[in-house]
Amino acid sequence: MDSFSIEKPVRYYDQVYNTLREMIVQGDLKPGDSIYEARIARDLNISRSPVREAVRALEKEGLLAIDEKSRITVYKPTLKDIVDIYECRMVLESLAARLTTRLATAQELQNIEKTVINSKQYLDAEGERNRQALIAENGRFHELIIKYSQNRRLKKQLRDLHSLSHYFRTLNFQGENREWIVYNEHQDILVQMKRRDEDKAAFMMNKHLETDLEHLKEIFSKYTKE
C-alpha cells in the first residue's frame, strides 16, 4: 500500500483562538471592543466550551481583559504597559543578541540573515499581503535570535511577552518609512553578529528596541488625543 497521511481536523478551540488572536493583532478588533462568548459560539454553531477556553488563553496572554462583572474586552494598552514591556525586552533581547553572537553556528546565522533578505523582498513589493509578510519576518528575526541564545530561562521570560510583543510590533510599523528604519536596524544588528562582536550586537539590539519604544510612544500619544 502506498504511504498516505490523514490530516487531523483543527479543534474548535484552535480555530477560535487563532481567529480572535489574529483579529486583535491585526486591528480588526479594536482596543476596548467587547467580546461575547455566546455570540461567537452561536455564529460558529459550536458550544461555548471551546470559545471560553480560547478566551481564557487570550486573557492569560494579555490580549483580552475580563473585569469583575465577567465582561470581556480587547486589551487596551496604556503608556506604562508599552514602557514596561519594552524595558523588559531591551534587557532580555540584548542579552539574547549577545549570547547568539557568541554561540550560534554559521548555519543559524544564515537563518537569521534569511529573514533580513526576505524582508527586503517584501519591502520592494507592494500590497497588504506583503506588509503582513514583512511584519512576520520582523518577528521571526527576533524569535530566531532568542531561540539560538541557548538560554532556557531567557526564552521562558520572553515567551510570556510574546503575544503583546507581536501586538506592539504590528503597531510599530505605522508611520512613514518605518519599514525601512526597522529593516536597516536589523541589518546593523546582523552585521555585528556575523562579526561575532557581542558588545556591539547587544548595543545595536538595545538601540533598535529603544527606537521602537520612542516610536510607539508617539503613536500612543496620537491615539489618546483623538
Side-chain angles (χ1 to χ4, degrees):
M1 179 183 294
D2 294 336
S3 62
F4 66 95
S5 61
I6 299 175
E7 293 186 6
K8 294 181 179 180
V10 180
R11 295 183 303 164
Y12 289 140
Y13 157 75
D14 292 321
Q15 294 181 56
V16 176
Y17 169 84
N18 291 330
T19 299
L20 285 176
R21 186 179 186 278
E22 190 72 12
M23 291 177 72
I24 294 169
V25 170
Q26 301 302 335
D28 298 318
L29 286 171
K30 305 298 181 184
D33 281 357
S34 294
I35 301 292
Y36 301 99
E37 292 179 356
R39 181 182 299 173
I40 294 172
R42 184 177 66 249
D43 290 345
L44 297 177
N45 195 29
I46 59 177
S47 71
R48 287 185 62 176
S49 180
V51 178
R52 188 178 301 112
E53 187 182 355
V55 165
R56 295 307 178 275
L58 290 167
E59 180 200 15
K60 185 176 180 181
E61 292 179 17
L63 292 176
L64 291 177
I66 303 178
D67 65 16
E68 65 280 357
K69 295 183 178 180
S70 298
R71 290 176 299 200
I72 307 165
T73 55
V74 176
Y75 166 66
K76 194 171 185 178
T78 65
L79 180 58
K80 188 170 187 336
D81 286 336
I82 297 170
V83 172
D84 286 352
I85 288 168
Y86 269 80
E87 284 179 344
C88 290
R89 287 189 64 193
M90 280 186 270
V91 173
L92 295 170
E93 292 197 42
S94 293
L95 175 58
R98 178 183 296 279
L99 293 173
T100 296
T101 301
R102 181 192 310 164
L103 300 171
T105 65
Q107 180 59 59
E108 288 170 342
L109 288 180
Q110 286 181 18
N111 293 342
I112 295 171
E113 184 173 22
K114 181 64 175 176
T115 69
V116 178
I117 294 170
N118 289 343
S119 294
K120 180 62 165 59
Q121 294 175 346
Y122 294 128
L123 274 166
D124 290 336
E126 295 182 358
E128 180 62 20
R129 179 177 296 178
N130 287 308
R131 182 177 181 276
Q132 294 304 323
L134 175 62
I135 293 172
E137 288 297 331
N138 173 276
R140 183 163 171 76
F141 174 84
H142 287 271
E143 288 161 10
L144 287 178
I145 291 174
I146 295 164
K147 177 181 178 181
Y148 298 147
S149 72
Q150 299 184 30
N151 187 311
R152 183 167 55 90
R153 299 294 181 182
L154 178 127
K155 292 177 187 178
K156 183 179 185 302
Q157 294 293 320
L158 284 165
R159 194 180 305 122
D160 291 342
L161 298 173
H162 181 266
S163 289
L164 289 179
S165 294
H166 185 56
Y167 176 82
F168 288 127
R169 186 174 292 127
T170 301
L171 289 178
N172 185 43
F173 272 78
Q174 296 182 17
E176 188 176 359
N177 294 324
R178 276 301 298 168
E179 296 95 337
W180 284 102
I181 292 171
V182 171
Y183 167 76
N184 288 329
E185 290 177 349
H186 281 195
Q187 279 271 43
D188 293 340
I189 296 166
L190 177 64
V191 166
Q192 302 307 326
M193 296 180 76
K194 291 174 71 175
R195 290 175 178 170
R196 300 293 183 171
D197 191 325
E198 298 177 26
D199 290 339
K200 287 186 178 178
F203 173 80
M204 296 307 298
M205 177 63 80
N206 190 77
K207 182 180 177 182
H208 169 53
L209 293 171
E210 279 185 341
T211 302
D212 284 357
L213 174 57
E214 293 306 311
H215 181 64
L216 285 167
K217 285 180 179 178
E218 291 179 13
I219 292 175
F220 184 81
S221 66
K222 291 178 183 177
Y223 283 159
T224 54
K225 290 177 182 177
E226 291 177 354

